[in-house]
Amino acid sequence: MTSLKPKLGTRQLFIVFGLGIPLVVYCLFVVGPTLSIFLESLFRWNGLSPNKKFVGLKNYTDLFGNPMFLSAISHTVFLLLVSTAVTMGIAIFFAVTLVQSRLPERGIFRVMFFFPNVLSVVVIGIIFRYVYAPNTGILNSALEAFGIEGPIWLGDARTVLWAISGAMVWQAMGYYMLIYMAGLDDIPPSLYEAADLDGASKFRQFIHITIPMLWDIIRVTLVFYIISSLNLSFTFVRIMTDAGPNKASEVLLTFMYDQAFENGNFGYAMAAAFVIFVLSFGLALLSDKLTERKDF
Amino acid sequence: MGAHLKGRLSPGEWVVRCLLAISALVIIFPLLWTFYTSFKTNEEFLGSIWSLPKVWNWDNYIRAFEVAKIGSYFINSIFLTLMAIAFMFLMGLPAAYILSRMEFRFRKVIFAFFMSGMFISTTYTVLPIFLMLNKVKLLNNLPVLAFVYAATTLSYNIFLMAGFFRGISKDYEDAAEIDGCGYLQKIGLVIVPLSRSGLFVVVLFAFMSYWNEYVLGFTVLRDRALMTLPIGLANLMEIQQFATDWGAMFAGLVTVMIPTMLVYIFVQKYLTAGISIGGLKG
């Protein structure tokens, strides 16, 4: 048995180093920062000076008393709701039609729809600025061809959030479509064959077979979509409108960022960051709860 | 597979086909438009937004590279992306191996601890990360940023790799062990080759996310000479003097898109397959 001893030693050494280093790095750059968001949010601090004052929960009470912050919450929730609903709806619809269709070109559609997902969000944001531009934009001059005078999409408080949602849907739709297509491939065809024999319509098959069979995937994608589009909202807003016009498209992340880097108000920004962190978990948990499988 | 047309398409199928074609146009046209606009002069752009360029000239690209420094952004992006991928594998490979193929105390707890990181986003941890790097004077440093990229994506990549490694039969490893292979050799000679298609997906996802990353880079890289393509491009858009140079802007956009587009065309099969294997990225 003694001959096993050194071997056991290398095994332990390998585990300690192979796992220890990534663990330390992970703690330093992921876990530590997350914890420090909460800790730092209890201070008033500009991020640079040694002057750091403990203020307790004052940053939070200030935040929720700030109408700018409250409207940033409602803009964020609006973007998430609209882009989630539209993206999921279109993605499921196209996934089902592509999987069930006999179209010879469906492979090409798949490749095309997924493509925006590999592009940089910065690039997408800039391109959509040109799509939505009032005079030189693609969208309005296309509308003009139909005799419609398009709004100033990104310059009008009434349309700006819809326009940003449009870009978000454009970016994400193909990715979710592919996930649903993968899920649809796992549904046994015999279920549809049986339904066909019973004379069930395509629509009934969709409601009673497709949706229930996809339900678990839909739930997971919903949670991921909420978290990822919350994150993407920063870049989309930053590039497309920089929170304008007149803060009409301010979202939580741009609010947080400007508090830190424009106003030098790091403690306050950390409090906003913590609210975002809680909100993203809250929304994810909520959507998970709401979609919990009752009996189908 | 079963895409053979049995007879003619029904009217319903034609409706579906039209709907799909319109959507595909909505997806592809803005990109196509960006591409051909990048060859138009500024006067042509303002004159008619739809028309094709009269002459396909490279002036915009020359300006984008000479005046707007797109070339140096490009080199920075390549350097940063490759280095981040290297750091990620250096840390992620052994960790994924240990967590998926070795038995020891607290293994499950440590794995769960790592996985919880998938729910944390750099869009808000960027504040403490900035403060930390600022304190030790490591802002404006590409290798450091690459390391931060690797560190903040470790959870997701370990999750993917551990998933691929778990499926490998123990027999291969036992055989390698009899041949006297150590752990690192087993990873390099057995595990990596056997899961190469999975690892290829990991490389692809990592490439895409590092190449396109904006928030962290934008915050940490303030020196123009170090900016990456997305950051430089966003910067280009903000600087007023270039905002009126549409041509250079579009040339810049196309320059950023080309590498991802090429990668996409060559590997889209693996990428779309990866979606169903690897599931979701955060």
Side-chain angles (χ1 to χ4, degrees):
Chain A
M1 280 316 264
T2 43
S3 65
L4 269 175
K5 260 252 154 89
K7 225 178 158 206
L8 214 68
T10 52
R11 181 187 137 90
Q12 278 157 343
L13 219 61
F14 178 66
I15 294 180
V16 167
F17 277 98
L19 201 55
I21 294 170
L23 210 53
V24 169
V25 169
Y26 169 68
C27 287
L28 194 62
F29 288 99
V30 180
V31 181
T34 310
L35 296 178
S36 87
I37 283 174
F38 182 68
L39 285 178
E40 303 275 3
S41 73
L42 305 175
F43 291 85
R44 174 174 295 142
W45 188 37
N46 71 4
L48 303 167
S49 78
N51 208 340
K52 203 167 170 180
K53 188 166 167 266
F54 181 80
V55 292
L57 294 175
K58 182 157 189 316
N59 284 327
Y60 291 92
T61 52
D62 284 355
L63 266 184
F64 285 98
N66 183 346
M68 297 300 294
F69 180 74
L70 298 178
S71 68
I73 292 186
S74 80
H75 298 156
T76 307
V77 171
F78 178 92
L79 273 186
L80 292 188
L81 282 182
V82 171
S83 73
T84 306
V86 178
T87 306
M88 296 289 154
I90 297 179
I92 292 175
F93 176 75
F94 280 151
V96 171
T97 41
L98 280 180
V99 166
Q100 293 181 349
S101 84
R102 307 180 293 151
L103 297 176
E105 71 274 22
R106 57 185 185 165
I108 300 167
F109 284 131
R110 233 167 88 119
V111 174
M112 281 187 180
F113 286 178
F114 182 65
F115 183 60
N117 206 264
V118 302
L119 293 176
S120 150
V121 173
V122 172
V123 169
I124 296 173
I126 296 176
I127 291 178
F128 270 84
R129 274 172 74 118
Y130 293 109
V131 168
Y132 288 130
N135 299 315
T136 49
I138 307 181
L139 183 57
N140 277 3
S141 60
L143 287 176
E144 212 173 284
F146 295 98
I148 303 165
E149 197 189 329
I152 309 168
W153 295 100
L154 297 176
D156 188 328
R158 285 166 303 179
T159 49
V160 64
L161 289 174
W162 293 98
I164 295 171
S165 314
M168 293 174 81
V169 172
W170 187 87
Q171 188 262 353
M173 190 267 284
Y175 179 72
Y176 291 92
M177 186 188 86
L178 277 189
I179 293 174
Y180 296 135
M181 287 176 81
L184 288 167
D185 283 338
D186 293 339
I187 301 178
S190 58
L191 286 179
Y192 293 106
E193 283 156 19
D196 270 335
L197 286 179
D198 290 344
S201 69
K202 282 272 179 265
F203 180 72
R204 281 181 61 95
Q205 292 181 16
F206 177 75
I207 297 294
H208 294 286
I209 301 173
T210 309
I211 293 291
M213 292 297 283
L214 269 187
W215 196 247
D216 285 335
I217 296 177
I218 293 175
R219 290 183 61 185
V220 178
T221 49
L222 215 56
V223 171
F224 271 84
Y225 187 85
I226 287 170
I227 292 178
S228 83
S229 54
L230 184 77
N231 296 328
L232 291 179
S233 71
F234 175 80
T235 312
F236 274 112
V237 169
R238 188 102 217 167
I239 299 293
M240 290 175 72
T241 63
D242 207 4
N246 210 354
K247 301 286 177 201
S249 61
E250 178 94 288
V251 288
L252 284 167
L253 282 162
T254 54
F255 177 90
M256 172 205 88
Y257 202 89
D258 288 344
Q259 286 300 333
F261 293 103
E262 301 281 318
N263 300 353
N265 215 340
F266 264 87
Y268 197 52
M270 294 284 188
F274 189 71
V275 173
I276 296 166
F277 171 75
V278 171
L279 187 80
S280 73
F281 270 87
L283 285 174
L285 279 179
L286 184 71
S287 77
D288 193 63
K289 262 269 160 309
L290 287 177
T291 54
E292 211 158 74
R293 189 188 280 267
K294 299 174 190 80
D295 283 309
F296 275 109
Chain B
M1 286 189 308
H4 308 293
L5 286 176
K6 295 174 209 138
R8 308 174 71 177
L9 293 176
S10 67
E13 280 167 320
W14 274 104
V15 172
V16 166
R17 180 180 249 180
C18 287
L19 220 60
L20 285 165
I22 291 168
S23 307
L25 196 70
V26 169
I27 299 275
I28 295 304
F29 185 72
L31 301 172
L32 218 57
W33 179 79
T34 306
F35 180 75
Y36 73 71
T37 302
S38 74
F39 291 94
K40 285 161 80 168
T41 64
N42 286 329
E43 293 74 41
E44 280 181 289
F45 176 72
L46 289 173
S48 159
I49 61 153
W50 298 99
S51 68
L52 290 169
K54 286 190 195 71
V55 187
W56 293 72
N57 64 45
W58 293 90
D59 286 1
N60 292 332
Y61 286 86
I62 293 167
R63 273 204 316 288
F65 275 81
E66 282 180 354
V67 184
K69 301 274 175 274
I70 289 288
S72 83
Y73 299 152
F74 200 97
I75 293 166
N76 290 340
S77 273
I78 290 178
F79 179 67
L80 181 69
T81 303
L82 292 182
M83 204 150 46
I85 290 175
F87 282 139
M88 183 274 285
F89 274 117
L90 274 176
M91 293 187 285
L93 266 178
Y97 173 83
I98 292 166
L99 288 169
S100 63
R101 301 190 66 84
M102 294 177 86
E103 272 307 328
F104 54 96
R105 225 143 53 108
F106 303 125
R107 186 182 64 93
K108 284 210 171 90
V109 180
I110 295 174
F111 189 69
F113 180 59
F114 261 120
M115 291 310 99
S116 64
M118 285 204 283
F119 293 94
I120 290 161
S121 160
T122 52
T123 44
Y124 44 84
T125 58
V126 63
L127 301 180
I129 289 174
F130 169 83
L131 291 176
M132 181 163 70
L133 294 179
N134 187 36
K135 206 183 211 168
V136 290
K137 300 274 173 282
L138 285 175
L139 298 173
N140 284 318
N141 186 318
L142 285 178
V144 168
L145 182 61
F147 192 77
V148 176
Y149 281 2
T152 50
T153 51
L154 214 46
S155 293
Y156 175 65
N157 288 308
I158 288 177
F159 163 75
L160 280 185
M161 287 191 277
F164 297 134
F165 295 169
R166 225 171 264 133
I168 298 170
S169 156
K170 193 87 185 141
D171 298 347
Y172 295 107
E173 250 186 288
D174 291 343
E177 207 162 307
I178 290 166
D179 289 344
C181 285
Y183 289 109
L184 292 178
Q185 282 168 305
K186 271 198 287 189
I187 293 177
L189 299 173
V190 180
I191 301 295
V192 169
L194 283 175
S195 53
R196 61 179 178 278
S197 57
L199 292 177
F200 188 58
V201 171
V202 174
V203 174
L204 277 179
F205 284 174
F207 167 81
M208 301 286 179
S209 76
Y210 301 153
W211 183 263
N212 294 330
E213 203 282 335
Y214 175 67
V215 183
L216 270 176
F218 165 72
T219 308
V220 165
L221 302 173
R222 291 298 164 100
D223 184 350
R224 269 196 75 185
L226 293 175
M227 285 180 178
T228 61
L229 277 173
I231 301 158
L233 209 60
N235 192 45
L236 194 68
M237 193 196 69
E238 273 169 36
I239 298 173
Q240 272 305 313
Q241 66 195 78
F242 286 112
T244 48
D245 188 356
W246 317 102
M249 182 83 235
F250 281 96
L253 287 173
V254 174
T255 312
V256 185
M257 284 195 281
I258 290 289
T260 31
M261 205 180 291
L262 288 178
V263 169
Y264 183 64
I265 290 167
F266 286 116
V267 301
Q268 58 86 13
K269 273 215 179 80
Y270 298 92
L271 201 64
T272 50
I275 301 288
S276 29
I277 313 165
L280 302 132
K281 61 182 164 150

